[in-house]
């Protein structure tokens, strides 16, 4: 009985994502292995075909990792009904959330055909893989578009179940249209030349968009220079006479051009002549008759041709100018714009991705008319999406709290890459409304303001940087988390002097002035933030619904990623104090360059304790991010590290404050009250920080 798996189930240590294929011998599933990598699991349970599939797999596994264009097989295991094996997963070519494997068959259904240049590149890659198979005295037997997949954009031969040794007696296999005629009529056994015939038919389907049964017919709109260079090769690839075909993969490679030559001048003239004749048959006949009658008319036509050529050249310049204008805006924002659309306007994202990819390809090929058309369509799509994304301003009076939310949402929108594509008049009107709104909101306000950095003279140790609403991908979870609110985060880590002044404690081992606190427990951090919250509220500078607290893990990661400002281009060693440039000690803020968002020491200097997104498994522990002056390299600074909240606190852990949403209940709910680490004496709570194995007396 076949094994059927559902999404979310675990099979052979891998989490099933979805079913991605079903064949005559088994079912294929898209899964995620323990390392978070997407793979495909094929479960073979057909009693009639499992032995044949296993033999083919055994042959193929000897060479599967020997070439990048051969499908990599990771593991083979047994099931009660048969066996299974795991392999590389094809790229996803779907435009929605449902996974569609990027097989050549699926791509041909979507795009109908490939350019001759693309078809040549793919075919040459597959020939290199087929050469390895044939050198191992193997025959693939089922080369067709559905058995060619793309992994990270590279074409690979897949479905190794039909692979046999040369000379092995087997039944007829393969797919109609791709099996050579002499094998179909029983005049010849399946051999390695049959693989070459099938690959030739695949190449034919790619360049023409036709079915294999239509060979050797060519499209009527195929350009002359393409026909001249491609047709002779096509006629030899799949000739009915086996003696006139390519005898080996090496010979096939040498006969296939590396790239197409540029059209010759006479070919351009003939092509333009052909296009004009097809589109204007009646007019052409009249012009042709007139040309035979009068040489003068021929001269006039030649002059008109020159004018047309000049007009075409000028038009091409205008088309290129349109494309350049859009790409100038899109160049540094393309990735962030795609990220924003994917997570906030998913219905738009697929169209944006397809148009952007098409524009890039057209630009590389200098197809300026196509570039201009795609650029205009993209601009219109993003302009409308930006207009729809602009948060509205209410007409009447609203509460102070609601005004804060409106200001934060508006400034957050302006920080996104999508705002750059908005209509200039609409964007200008939006900014004017926001300025009027903020003028009224901040008339008697001395606290932090949305969209700008804040530094109060009385609290000068805590310069705050505005962080807009956004989304960030948490590396350890492998998923994106949205933050539907704005917040402020301190420009630098909390200083030792600030902790000593506010709490009256001196946890730091270093006596250097102006450096961050280096050893502090979770409860002391909370108490520090609690006192600051009370002080800020007493001075009337705390936004409504906000408190001073440590940032959450997602807030910290969003700030470290510069929100919508994009990745830092400054070298890591110029932004961070870590092993090779720290002298194994902490440094005062500003000793390294700030991030694009304006933050110091997000990585290196001291590690920063944050509110974890998911609680670590280790008991009584929290999470630290950013690495420290003890971290050996950049990779170590990017780790998410658990740290005990009380005992064994290293001399390299500090924190930075954030002004973010919360209530006073936050401090009670996050204050650590657990077991033998604390005791009450004489009305006070005492906390033990020391070796858990040491002997001590509480009193």
């Amino acid at each position: 009985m076949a094994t059927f798996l559902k999404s979310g189930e675990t099979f052979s240590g891998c989490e099933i994502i979805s079913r991605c294929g079903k064949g005559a011998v088994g079912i294929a599933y898209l899964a995620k292995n323990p390392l978070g990598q997407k793979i495909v699991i094929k479960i073979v349970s057909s009693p009639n075909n499992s032995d044949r599939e296993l033999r083919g797999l055994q042959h193929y596994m000897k060479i599967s990792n020997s070439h990048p264009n051969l499908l990599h097989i990771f593991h083979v295991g047994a099931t009660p009904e048969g066996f299974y094996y795991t392999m590389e997963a094809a790229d996803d070519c779907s435009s929605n959330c449902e996974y569609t494997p990027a097989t050549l068959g699926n791509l041909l259904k979507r795009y109908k055909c490939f350019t001759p240049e693309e078809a040549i590149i793919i075919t040459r890659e597959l020939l290199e893989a087929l050469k390895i198979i044939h050198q191992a005295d193997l025959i693939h037997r089922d080369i067709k578009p559905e058995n060619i997949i793309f992994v990270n954009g590279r074409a690979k031969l897949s479905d190794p179940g039909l692979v046999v040794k040369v000379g092995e007696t087997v039944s007829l296999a393969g797919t109609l249209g791709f099996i050579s005629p002499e094998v179909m009529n029983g005049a010849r056994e399946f051999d390695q030349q049959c693989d070459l015939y099938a690959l030739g038919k695949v190449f034919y389907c790619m360049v023409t968009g036709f079915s294999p049964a239509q060979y050797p017919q060519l499209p009527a709109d195929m350009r002359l220079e393409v026909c001249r260079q491609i047709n002779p090769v096509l006629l030899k690839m799949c000739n009915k006479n086996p003696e006139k075909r390519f005898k080996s993969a090496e010979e096939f490679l040498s006969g296939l051009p590396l790239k197409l030559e540029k059209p010759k001048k006479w070919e351009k003239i003939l092509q333009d002549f052909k296009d004009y004749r097809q589109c204007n048959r009646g007019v052409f006949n009249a012009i042709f008759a007139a040309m035979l009658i009068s040489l003068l008319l021929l001269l006039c036509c030649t002059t008109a041709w020159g004018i047309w050529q000049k007009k075409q050249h000028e038009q091409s310049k205008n088309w290129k100018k349109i494309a350049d204008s859009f790409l100038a805006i899109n160049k540094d924002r393309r990735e962030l714009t795609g990220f924003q659309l994917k997570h906030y306007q998913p219905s738009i994202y697929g169209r944006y991705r397809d148009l952007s990819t098409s524009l890039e390809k057209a630009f590389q090929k200098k197809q300026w008319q196509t570039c201009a058309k795609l650029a205009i369509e993209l601009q219109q799509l993003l302009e409308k999406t930006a207009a729809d994304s602009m948060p509205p301003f209410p007409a009447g009076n609203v509460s102070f709290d609601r005004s804060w939310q409106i200001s934060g949402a508006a400034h957050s929108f302006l920080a996104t890459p999508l705002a750059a594509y908005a209509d200039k008049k609409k964007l200008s009107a939006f900014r004017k409304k926001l300025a009027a709104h903020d003028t009224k909101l901040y008339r008697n306000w001395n606290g932090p303001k949305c969209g700008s950095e804040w530094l109060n003279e009385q609290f000068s140790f805590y310069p705050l940087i505005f962080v807009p609403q956004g989304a960030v991908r948490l590396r350890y979870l492998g998923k994106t988390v949205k933050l539907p609110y704005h917040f402020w985060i301190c420009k630098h880590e909390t200083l030792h002097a600030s902790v000593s002044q506010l709490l009256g404690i001196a946890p730091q081992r270093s006596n250097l002035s102006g450096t961050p606190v280096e050893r502090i427990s979770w409860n002391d951090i909370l108490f520090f933030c609690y006192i600051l919250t009370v002080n800020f509220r007493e001075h009337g500078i705390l936004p409504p619904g906000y408190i001073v607290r440590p940032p959450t893990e997602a807030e910290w990661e969003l700030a470290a990623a510069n929100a919508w400002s994009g990745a830092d281009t400054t070298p890591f060693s110029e932004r961070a104090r870590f092993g090779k440039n720290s002298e194994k000690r902490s440094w005062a803020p500003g000793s390294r360059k700030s991030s694009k968002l304006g933050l110091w020491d997000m990585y290196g200097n001291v590690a920063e304790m944050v509110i974890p997104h998911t609680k670590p498994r280790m008991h009584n522990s929290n999470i630290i991010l950013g690495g420290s002056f003890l971290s050996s390299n950049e990779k170590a600074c990017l780790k998410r590290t658990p740290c005990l909240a009380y005992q064994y606190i290293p001399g390299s852990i500090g924190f930075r404050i954030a002004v973010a949403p919360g209530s006073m209940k936050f401090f009670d709910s996050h204050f650590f009250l657990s077991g033998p680490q604390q005791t009450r004496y004489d009305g006070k709570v005492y906390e033990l920080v020391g070796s858990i194995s040491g002997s001590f007396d509480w009193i």
Side-chain angles (χ1 to χ4, degrees):
M1 183 176 178
T3 300
F4 296 100
L5 303 176
K6 296 180 180 179
S7 176
E9 290 186 14
T10 300
F11 182 87
S12 186
C14 301
E15 181 186 349
I16 301 299
I17 298 174
S18 64
R19 193 169 82 173
C20 61
K22 182 178 180 181
V25 298
I27 302 175
Y29 297 90
L30 180 68
K32 185 170 20 176
N33 66 17
L35 297 177
Q37 301 167 328
K38 287 184 179 179
I39 61 170
V40 167
I41 301 174
K42 184 173 182 179
I43 301 178
V44 180
S45 54
S46 172
N48 298 326
N49 298 313
S50 60
D51 290 343
R52 184 202 69 193
E53 181 90 355
L54 183 58
R55 285 196 305 273
L57 192 61
Q58 289 170 340
H59 293 321
Y60 184 82
M61 284 189 68
K62 296 176 182 178
I63 60 169
S64 72
N65 293 325
S66 63
H67 195 276
N69 291 101
L70 290 173
L71 181 69
H72 291 185
I73 307 296
F74 302 128
H75 175 69
V76 180
T79 66
E81 299 84 14
F83 71 100
Y84 72 93
Y85 57 96
T86 63
M87 53 190 160
E88 292 177 299
D91 299 335
D92 185 4
C93 69
S94 68
S95 58
N96 50 44
C97 297
E98 186 176 351
Y99 171 76
T100 301
T103 66
L104 183 58
N106 285 335
L107 294 176
L108 283 172
K109 288 177 184 177
R110 174 177 292 185
Y111 301 111
K112 303 303 181 185
C113 66
F114 288 76
T115 65
E117 292 81 0
E118 292 170 336
I120 287 173
I121 292 171
I122 293 170
T123 305
R124 294 189 72 87
E125 289 181 347
L126 296 174
L127 279 169
E128 292 291 347
L130 196 58
K131 185 166 65 173
I132 300 298
I133 294 176
H134 289 177
Q135 287 173 352
D137 288 329
L138 299 176
I139 309 171
H140 189 282
R141 293 206 301 161
D142 196 19
I143 296 176
K144 59 182 179 180
E146 288 73 18
N147 286 343
I148 295 168
I149 68 172
F150 291 85
V151 180
N152 296 325
R154 181 183 287 274
K156 293 181 179 253
L157 287 172
S158 67
D159 199 8
L162 289 178
V163 171
V164 296
K165 293 284 288 185
V166 172
E168 186 176 342
T169 302
V170 292
S171 59
L172 180 64
T175 302
L176 288 176
F178 298 92
I179 304 175
S180 59
E182 67 273 13
V183 173
M184 284 295 297
N185 60 31
R188 184 174 181 174
E189 292 291 331
F190 213 107
D191 60 13
Q192 291 182 338
Q193 276 196 24
C194 297
D195 282 345
L196 299 175
Y197 177 93
L199 186 55
K201 281 294 187 75
V202 169
F203 178 78
Y204 170 78
C205 294
M206 283 195 286
V207 293
T208 64
F210 292 166
S211 69
Q214 293 175 272
Y215 174 87
Q217 181 183 346
L218 296 178
D221 59 351
M222 183 173 279
R223 297 187 66 82
L224 293 175
E225 76 272 10
V226 176
C227 291
R228 175 177 61 82
Q229 298 175 69
I230 291 297
N231 198 42
V233 183
L234 282 172
L235 292 175
K236 190 169 184 179
M237 289 176 182
C238 308
N239 199 294
K240 289 184 178 180
N241 185 351
E243 298 302 319
K244 295 182 179 180
R245 295 185 209 140
F246 293 117
K247 301 298 188 298
S248 65
E250 290 84 353
E251 185 181 344
F252 200 151
L253 276 167
S254 64
L256 190 66
L258 289 171
K259 62 179 181 179
L260 295 183
E261 301 171 2
K262 293 183 179 180
K264 295 179 172 56
K265 188 173 182 179
W266 64 268
E267 286 178 325
K268 287 184 178 180
I269 296 173
L270 285 177
Q271 183 65 47
D272 290 334
F273 181 80
K274 176 184 174 184
D275 294 342
Y276 185 84
R277 185 182 62 186
Q278 287 178 342
C279 297
N280 305 275
R281 292 183 182 274
V283 176
F284 168 77
N285 291 334
I287 294 175
F288 184 71
M291 288 174 63
L292 294 175
I293 297 171
S294 174
L295 182 61
L296 180 60
L297 185 58
L298 176 61
L299 181 60
C300 292
C301 290
T302 304
T303 304
W305 175 260
I307 295 172
W308 180 83
Q309 286 278 44
K310 183 178 180 181
K311 184 177 179 181
Q312 286 292 100
H313 179 70
E314 292 175 353
Q315 187 65 60
S316 292
K317 288 175 64 177
N318 291 333
W319 287 330
K320 185 176 184 300
K321 187 176 180 180
I322 292 172
D324 287 339
S325 178
F326 174 79
L327 291 173
I329 301 174
N330 185 250
K331 180 181 178 183
D332 297 326
R333 296 181 179 88
R334 180 180 175 185
E335 186 175 348
L336 280 174
T337 303
F339 182 80
Q340 183 180 1
L341 292 175
K342 183 176 182 180
H343 295 287
Y344 288 91
Q345 285 91 11
S347 61
I348 307 294
Y349 172 67
R351 183 63 179 153
Y352 169 77
R353 182 189 58 192
D354 293 344
L355 287 172
S356 295
T357 303
S358 300
L359 175 58
E360 185 177 349
K361 290 181 179 179
F363 197 87
Q364 290 173 352
K365 297 173 185 177
K366 299 182 179 181
Q367 297 171 343
W368 305 127
Q369 184 176 7
T370 303
C371 286
K373 179 183 176 182
L374 292 169
I376 292 171
E377 191 171 352
L378 267 169
Q379 178 63 43
Q380 291 173 345
L381 176 71
L382 294 172
E383 188 176 295
K384 182 180 182 304
T385 307
D388 294 341
S389 302
M390 288 182 181
F393 291 95
N397 293 326
V398 294
S399 66
F400 186 68
D401 291 12
R402 178 62 182 144
S403 291
W404 263 100
Q405 295 172 6
I406 293 169
S407 180
H411 283 286
S412 294
F413 166 76
L414 291 176
T416 65
L418 199 56
Y421 303 100
D423 178 79
K424 291 182 179 179
K425 291 183 179 179
K426 290 183 179 179
L427 188 62
S428 177
F430 180 83
R431 290 183 184 276
K432 288 179 180 178
K433 288 182 181 180
L434 177 58
H437 177 88
D438 284 354
T439 298
K440 183 178 179 181
L441 174 64
Y442 300 128
R443 184 170 297 154
N444 298 311
W445 178 256
N446 294 318
K449 299 177 182 178
C450 295
S452 59
E453 182 177 345
W454 179 78
L455 179 63
N456 184 282
E457 292 182 2
Q458 188 168 357
F459 298 99
S460 58
F461 286 124
Y462 315 107
L464 297 176
I465 300 294
F466 176 78
V467 183
Q469 302 170 14
V472 65
R473 184 172 177 81
L474 297 183
R475 288 185 292 269
Y476 85 99
L477 274 183
K479 70 176 186 179
T480 298
V481 176
K482 292 182 182 178
L483 296 176
Y485 55 84
H486 61 277
F487 62 96
W488 289 264
I489 192 167
C490 193
K491 188 180 182 72
H492 56 71
E493 296 147 328
T494 304
L495 304 181
H496 174 66
S498 302
V499 174
S500 298
Q501 180 181 357
L502 209 62
L503 300 185
I505 61 174
Q508 181 161 334
R509 61 180 181 133
S510 171
N511 59 2
L512 296 172
S513 62
T515 56
V517 64
E518 297 176 3
R519 178 187 284 116
I520 189 165
S521 69
W522 178 244
N523 280 2
D524 285 337
I525 293 174
L526 291 183
F527 191 36
F528 180 88
C529 292
Y530 172 82
I531 294 175
L532 270 186
T533 299
V534 172
N535 287 346
F536 276 30
R537 284 189 173 179
E538 286 178 352
H539 286 82
I541 56 174
L542 202 57
Y546 280 62
I547 61 173
V548 180
R549 59 169 171 79
T552 65
E553 188 171 356
E555 289 167 353
W556 191 97
E557 290 285 7
L558 179 63
N562 300 312
W564 297 113
S565 299
D568 286 298
T569 55
T570 306
F572 188 79
S573 59
E574 295 181 19
R575 292 183 282 116
R577 284 287 185 187
F578 59 106
K580 70 178 185 180
N581 64 16
S582 69
E583 300 178 15
K584 305 300 180 184
R585 68 174 180 88
S586 64
W587 291 72
S591 67
R592 299 275 89 183
K593 293 180 180 178
S594 66
S595 70
K596 191 176 286 188
L597 199 63
L599 298 169
W600 284 321
D601 301 322
M602 287 301 286
Y603 295 103
N605 215 17
V606 296
E608 300 179 25
M609 204 177 296
V610 299
I611 303 169
H613 186 75
T614 55
K615 196 67 176 174
R617 294 179 181 178
M618 195 165 66
H619 183 59
N620 297 350
S621 64
N622 256 339
I623 288 297
I624 57 173
L625 299 174
S628 72
F629 54 82
L630 297 177
S631 299
S632 56
N633 51 37
E634 179 178 349
K635 187 176 180 180
C637 291
L638 296 174
K639 285 185 177 179
R640 177 185 193 260
T641 309
C643 169
L644 287 172
Y646 286 85
Q647 297 162 313
Y648 311 121
I649 299 174
S652 59
I653 294 180
F655 70 104
R656 81 174 66 214
I657 63 168
V659 174
S663 68
M664 299 305 286
K665 293 180 180 179
F666 164 84
F667 299 102
D668 290 335
S669 62
H670 284 76
F671 201 75
F672 189 82
L673 298 170
S674 174
Q677 283 81 16
Q678 293 185 338
T679 188
R680 183 177 294 276
Y681 177 73
D682 195 21
K684 297 181 180 179
V685 175
Y686 287 84
E687 177 179 300
L688 174 67
V689 180
S691 171
I692 200 168
S693 61
S695 60
F696 49 82
D697 183 281
W698 280 109
I699 296 177

